[in-house]
Amino acid sequence: MKYKLLGRSGLKVSELCLGTMGFGTDNGWGADAATSFDIMDEFAGAGGNFLDTANVYQKGTSERIIGDYLANQDRDYFVLATKYTLKDNQTNPNASGNNRKNMMRSVEESLKRLKTDFIDVLYLHIWDDITPIDEVLRGLDDLIRQGKVTYAAISDTPAWMVAKGNTLAELMGWSQFIALQVEYSLLQRTPERELIPMAKHFGMTVTPWAPLGGGALTGKYLKGDTGRVKPESNRRNENSERITKVVMEVADELGVSAGNVALQWMRQQGFSCIPIVGATKLSQLKDNLKTTSLILSDEHLKKIDEASAVPLGFPGDFFKEENVRINSFGGFYDRVEKRS
Ligand SMILES: NC(=O)c1ccc[n+]([C@@H]2O[C@H](COP(=O)([O-])OP(=O)(O)OC[C@H]3O[C@@H](n4cnc5c(N)ncnc54)[C@H](OP(=O)(O)O)[C@@H]3O)[C@@H](O)[C@H]2O)c1
C-alpha cells in the first residue's frame, strides 16, 4: 500500500479507502460485525488506514461497529472519515440538513458511536440547497478549532458551490474542504464535466463513491452471481452492461479481476483520486486490494475510455473545439506554454 496526501493537507492516507456503508445489516443487506472486523483487519494488515462511514449508514450501526473495532486498536493509526446531514426524523426540522445546529449535534452523536474524541475528516454529506455555505465552513472551522474534527471535506454538492466555499474559506482564514466525494465510475463519468476539474483546480483529492458501480463493474451479475444491485438499476442497463463487458475483456487479457481494472482506470486519470471501495465479504476486499499492483497500458486505457466516455456538454465540448482554442491564443497558439 502506498500513501497519498489528502488534498492540500499533510494528512497521509492509504491509496484505497475502505467504504463501510455495508457494515451492519439494519438495512436488510450488509456484513455482520464479525465479518466487518475481519474486513478491517485485512485492510489494516495490508497498510490501509483510511475508513469512510457516515452517521446514517445502516442506521448508525456502521459507526458503532467501527467504534467497537477501534476500541481495541491503535485509534491514531486510522484516518476516520464520517459525514453529517442526513437523518430520518419526523419531529425535529433541524435534525437533518447542512445547518450548524444539526452539524454540532450530529458530530456529538457520531463521536459517541465511534467511541472516540475526534473525527479525522468530516464530510458534509449532501448539499441541502438551503444553508449558506459560510455557515457550513464556519461551523466546520469551529469544530476543527475545538479539536473534535481535524479536516473538512464535502460530498454530493454542485461544483460552483464548493468553489465558492473554498474561495471564501481561503479569504477568511478558515479550513478549506480538502476532499470531494462524488459518485464516479466507468458507469458514471459525468463528474468529469465540472466537479473533477474544480477539484483539480483547488488541489482537492477526489474520493469516488460506488467506484465499482455498487459491484456491477466486477462483472458478477453478467456471470449470474447475486448482490444488492437490482436488475432494473441503471448500473445494469444495456449501456452499463456493454461497458462492463469491455472492462471484463481487458481483465481477461491481463489475467486480473474486472473490479481491479475498473478501480485502476480511475487511479490513472491524471487527478488525485482515492476510490472508496465497499466490501461485504472478506474475499471481495482481498480481490480489491490487488488493484494496487496493477498498471493499465495506454492501449487498455484508450479502449476503456472509448467505451465509457460521456459528452462533456457545454461549455466543455465547446472549449475542446480546435478553432476556439486556437483563437483564444490569438496568433500565439504554438508559442505559449499550455497548462495541463
Ligand atoms: N457520499 C455518498 O453519497 C455515498 C453514497 C454511497 C456510498 N458512499 C461510500 O462509498 C462506499 C462505496 O460505495 P458502494 O459500496 O455503493 O459501491 P462500490 O464500492 O462500487 O460497491 C461495493 C459493492 O460491490 C460488491 N463488491 C465489492 N468488491 C467486490 C468484488 N471484489 N467482487 C464482487 N463483488 C464485489 C459488493 O456488493 P454486494 O454486497 O452486493 O456483494 C460491495 O458491497 C460506501 O461504503 C460508502 O462509504 C458514499
Side-chain angles (χ1 to χ4, degrees), residues 117-150:
D117 50 13
F118 68 101
I119 292 161
D120 294 285
V121 180
L122 181 68
Y123 284 94
L124 174 152
H125 201 151
I126 296 181
W127 184 236
D128 70 4
D129 214 10
I130 298 173
T131 310
I133 194 74
D134 51 317
E135 176 176 330
V136 170
L137 280 152
R138 176 58 208 271
L140 291 169
D141 197 64
D142 284 348
L143 285 168
I144 291 170
R145 284 170 207 249
Q146 289 166 17
K148 292 180 181 174
V149 169
T150 315

Side-chain angles (χ1 to χ4, degrees), residues 300-317:
H300 279 142
L301 287 171
K302 188 162 175 273
K303 182 173 171 171
I304 298 166
D305 180 57
E306 282 171 0
S308 61
V310 292
L312 293 181
F314 184 86
D317 281 332

